[in-house]
Amino acid sequence: MEQSGVEILLQSLLKKRDVLDQLIELGQRQEEILKQEGLDMDGLNALLEEQSELVAQLDRLDQGFELVYDRCRAQIMDHKDLYQKEIRAIQECIQEITAKISTINACNMRNKVAAEGHFRREKQEISQNVSKTKVARNYYNSMNKLNYVSPQFYDNKK
Protein backbone atom coordinates (compact mmCIF):
# COMPACT_ATOMS: atom_id res chain seq x y z
CA MET A 1 0.00 0.00 0.00
CA GLU A 2 1.53 3.26 -1.12
CA GLN A 3 1.27 6.26 1.14
CA SER A 4 0.42 9.70 -0.16
CA GLY A 5 2.69 12.64 0.53
CA VAL A 6 0.16 14.11 2.94
CA GLU A 7 0.13 10.93 5.03
CA ILE A 8 3.94 10.94 5.13
CA LEU A 9 3.89 14.59 6.26
CA LEU A 10 1.45 13.73 9.03
CA GLN A 11 3.55 10.76 10.16
CA SER A 12 6.65 12.94 10.20
CA LEU A 13 4.90 15.49 12.41
CA LEU A 14 3.67 12.75 14.75
CA LYS A 15 7.23 11.43 15.08
CA LYS A 16 8.44 14.97 15.73
CA ARG A 17 5.81 15.35 18.43
CA ASP A 18 7.00 12.14 20.09
CA VAL A 19 10.63 13.31 20.00
CA LEU A 20 9.59 16.63 21.53
CA ASP A 21 7.82 14.73 24.32
CA GLN A 22 11.08 12.91 25.01
CA LEU A 23 12.94 16.24 25.06
CA ILE A 24 10.43 17.63 27.58
CA GLU A 25 10.99 14.59 29.78
CA LEU A 26 14.77 15.04 29.55
CA GLY A 27 14.41 18.71 30.45
CA GLN A 28 12.42 17.78 33.54
CA ARG A 29 15.03 15.22 34.56
CA GLN A 30 17.75 17.87 34.09
CA GLU A 31 15.76 20.22 36.27
CA GLU A 32 15.60 17.57 39.02
CA ILE A 33 19.37 17.04 38.83
CA LEU A 34 20.01 20.78 38.98
CA LYS A 35 17.75 21.18 42.02
CA GLN A 36 19.90 18.76 44.02
CA GLU A 37 22.51 20.25 46.34
CA GLY A 38 25.40 18.20 44.94
CA LEU A 39 25.55 18.42 41.18
CA ASP A 40 25.72 15.01 39.48
CA MET A 41 27.90 15.90 36.50
CA ASP A 42 27.90 12.36 35.06
CA GLY A 43 24.11 12.21 35.07
CA LEU A 44 23.88 15.70 33.62
CA ASN A 45 26.36 14.87 30.85
CA ALA A 46 24.44 11.70 29.98
CA LEU A 47 21.21 13.70 29.72
CA LEU A 48 22.89 16.32 27.55
CA GLU A 49 24.22 13.66 25.18
CA GLU A 50 20.79 12.07 24.96
CA GLN A 51 19.31 15.50 24.31
CA SER A 52 21.77 16.22 21.49
CA GLU A 53 20.87 12.90 19.82
CA LEU A 54 17.19 13.81 19.97
CA VAL A 55 17.90 17.27 18.53
CA ALA A 56 19.80 15.64 15.65
CA GLN A 57 16.81 13.36 15.09
CA LEU A 58 14.55 16.43 15.01
CA ASP A 59 16.78 18.02 12.37
CA ARG A 60 16.53 14.90 10.21
CA LEU A 61 12.74 14.87 10.61
CA ASP A 62 12.54 18.54 9.64
CA GLN A 63 14.69 17.99 6.55
CA GLY A 64 12.59 15.01 5.51
CA PHE A 65 9.39 16.97 6.07
CA GLU A 66 10.67 19.81 3.89
CA LEU A 67 11.66 17.42 1.09
CA VAL A 68 8.31 15.66 1.07
CA TYR A 69 6.41 18.94 1.33
CA ASP A 70 8.33 20.40 -1.62
CA ARG A 71 7.43 17.35 -3.70
CA CYS A 72 3.73 17.23 -2.90
CA ARG A 73 2.99 20.90 -2.31
CA ALA A 74 1.45 21.50 -5.73
CA GLN A 75 -0.77 18.43 -5.41
CA ILE A 76 -1.99 19.54 -1.97
CA MET A 77 -2.71 23.08 -3.14
CA ASP A 78 -4.60 21.87 -6.21
CA HIS A 79 -6.74 19.36 -4.29
CA LYS A 80 -7.35 20.99 -0.92
CA ASP A 81 -10.85 19.54 -0.74
CA LEU A 82 -9.55 15.96 -1.03
CA TYR A 83 -6.98 16.42 1.71
CA GLN A 84 -9.10 18.55 4.04
CA LYS A 85 -9.07 15.99 6.87
CA GLU A 86 -5.30 15.43 6.62
CA ILE A 87 -4.60 19.17 6.38
CA ARG A 88 -6.65 19.74 9.56
CA ALA A 89 -4.66 16.99 11.34
CA ILE A 90 -1.38 18.51 10.13
CA GLN A 91 -2.42 21.95 11.40
CA GLU A 92 -3.33 20.51 14.80
CA CYS A 93 0.03 18.69 14.98
CA ILE A 94 1.87 21.89 14.12
CA GLN A 95 0.01 23.73 16.90
CA GLU A 96 0.92 20.98 19.40
CA ILE A 97 4.54 21.03 18.22
CA THR A 98 4.74 24.80 18.59
CA ALA A 99 3.40 24.57 22.16
CA LYS A 100 5.88 21.81 23.00
CA ILE A 101 8.78 23.80 21.56
CA SER A 102 7.90 26.80 23.73
CA THR A 103 7.68 24.48 26.77
CA ILE A 104 11.12 23.07 25.94
CA ASN A 105 12.61 26.54 25.49
CA ALA A 106 11.23 27.70 28.85
CA CYS A 107 12.57 24.58 30.56
CA ASN A 108 15.99 25.07 28.92
CA MET A 109 16.14 28.66 30.14
CA ARG A 110 15.28 27.59 33.71
CA ASN A 111 17.91 24.86 33.54
CA LYS A 112 20.50 27.29 32.18
CA VAL A 113 19.89 29.70 35.06
CA ALA A 114 20.07 26.86 37.60
CA ALA A 115 23.30 25.50 36.08
CA GLU A 116 24.88 28.96 36.05
CA GLY A 117 23.96 29.31 39.73
CA HIS A 118 25.62 25.98 40.53
CA PHE A 119 28.74 26.90 38.61
CA ARG A 120 28.92 30.34 40.23
CA ARG A 121 28.69 28.78 43.71
CA GLU A 122 31.36 26.22 42.82
CA LYS A 123 33.62 28.95 41.49
CA GLN A 124 33.20 30.99 44.70
CA GLU A 125 33.89 27.93 46.81
CA ILE A 126 37.05 27.15 44.82
CA SER A 127 38.29 30.73 45.07
CA GLN A 128 37.64 30.72 48.83
CA ASN A 129 39.60 27.49 49.17
CA VAL A 130 42.45 28.91 47.12
CA SER A 131 42.60 32.04 49.26
CA LYS A 132 42.50 29.96 52.46
CA THR A 133 45.36 27.85 51.15
CA LYS A 134 47.33 30.97 50.24
CA VAL A 135 46.83 32.46 53.71
CA ALA A 136 47.89 29.20 55.36
CA ARG A 137 50.99 28.98 53.16
CA ASN A 138 51.94 32.60 53.95
CA TYR A 139 51.46 31.93 57.66
CA TYR A 140 53.58 28.80 57.46
CA ASN A 141 56.34 30.62 55.57
CA SER A 142 56.37 33.55 57.99
CA MET A 143 56.45 31.21 60.98
CA ASN A 144 59.42 29.35 59.50
CA LYS A 145 61.29 32.65 59.07
CA LEU A 146 60.52 33.69 62.64
CA ASN A 147 63.11 31.41 64.24
CA TYR A 148 65.72 32.11 61.61
CA VAL A 149 68.45 34.44 62.78
CA SER A 150 70.74 35.70 60.10
CA PRO A 151 74.46 35.57 60.91
CA GLN A 152 75.40 38.65 62.84
CA PHE A 153 79.12 38.56 62.49
CA TYR A 154 79.57 37.23 59.08
CA ASP A 155 82.45 38.62 57.08
CA ASN A 156 81.45 39.27 53.51
CA LYS A 157 85.01 40.03 52.43
CA LYS A 158 87.24 37.46 50.86
Side-chain angles (χ1 to χ4, degrees):
M1 181 166 97
E2 188 175 314
Q3 292 181 326
S4 71
V6 177
E7 291 171 343
I8 294 172
L9 291 175
L10 185 57
Q11 285 180 354
S12 174
L13 290 174
L14 292 174
K15 286 179 185 178
K16 184 174 182 175
R17 189 182 65 186
D18 293 339
V19 171
L20 289 173
D21 285 335
Q22 292 174 358
L23 281 172
I24 289 172
E25 179 189 334
L26 286 178
Q28 291 170 346
R29 287 177 27 204
Q30 277 181 340
E31 197 169 355
E32 290 171 7
I33 287 176
L34 291 170
K35 284 182 181 177
Q36 296 173 356
E37 185 62 33
L39 189 61
D40 179 19
M41 287 303 291
D42 293 333
L44 189 62
N45 283 336
L47 287 176
L48 290 174
E49 287 177 17
E50 209 173 324
Q51 191 176 28
S52 67
E53 290 173 11
L54 289 175
V55 168
Q57 187 176 353
L58 276 178
D59 287 339
R60 288 191 300 273
L61 285 171
D62 284 341
Q63 290 172 357
F65 182 88
E66 290 294 325
L67 290 173
V68 172
Y69 181 73
D70 289 341
R71 265 191 259 149
C72 67
R73 179 176 178 225
Q75 181 183 1
I76 294 172
M77 294 298 179
D78 292 342
H79 304 289
K80 285 184 181 178
D81 53 332
L82 292 176
Y83 299 112
Q84 190 172 12
K85 180 181 171 187
E86 288 88 355
I87 291 172
R88 172 72 55 205
I90 287 173
Q91 288 173 340
E92 289 173 4
C93 270
I94 290 174
Q95 289 174 349
E96 285 180 45
I97 287 170
T98 304
K100 289 178 189 286
I101 288 173
S102 63
T103 301
I104 290 170
N105 288 337
C107 186
N108 284 341
M109 290 304 292
R110 285 191 306 270
N111 289 344
K112 179 183 175 187
V113 169
E116 287 174 348
H118 268 287
F119 297 142
R120 189 177 334 101
R121 283 190 299 276
E122 288 293 323
K123 184 179 177 181
Q124 286 175 342
E125 188 176 312
I126 289 170
S127 66
Q128 286 175 351
N129 288 339
V130 166
S131 67
K132 287 177 184 178
T133 304
K134 192 175 185 179
V135 167
R137 185 176 47 241
N138 287 340
Y139 175 77
Y140 176 76
N141 289 338
S142 65
M143 286 297 118
N144 275 342
K145 292 177 185 176
L146 187 65
N147 292 330
Y148 178 72
V149 178
S150 62
Q152 300 296 320
F153 301 104
Y154 181 69
D155 188 14
N156 289 332
K157 297 179 186 176
K158 286 191 178 183

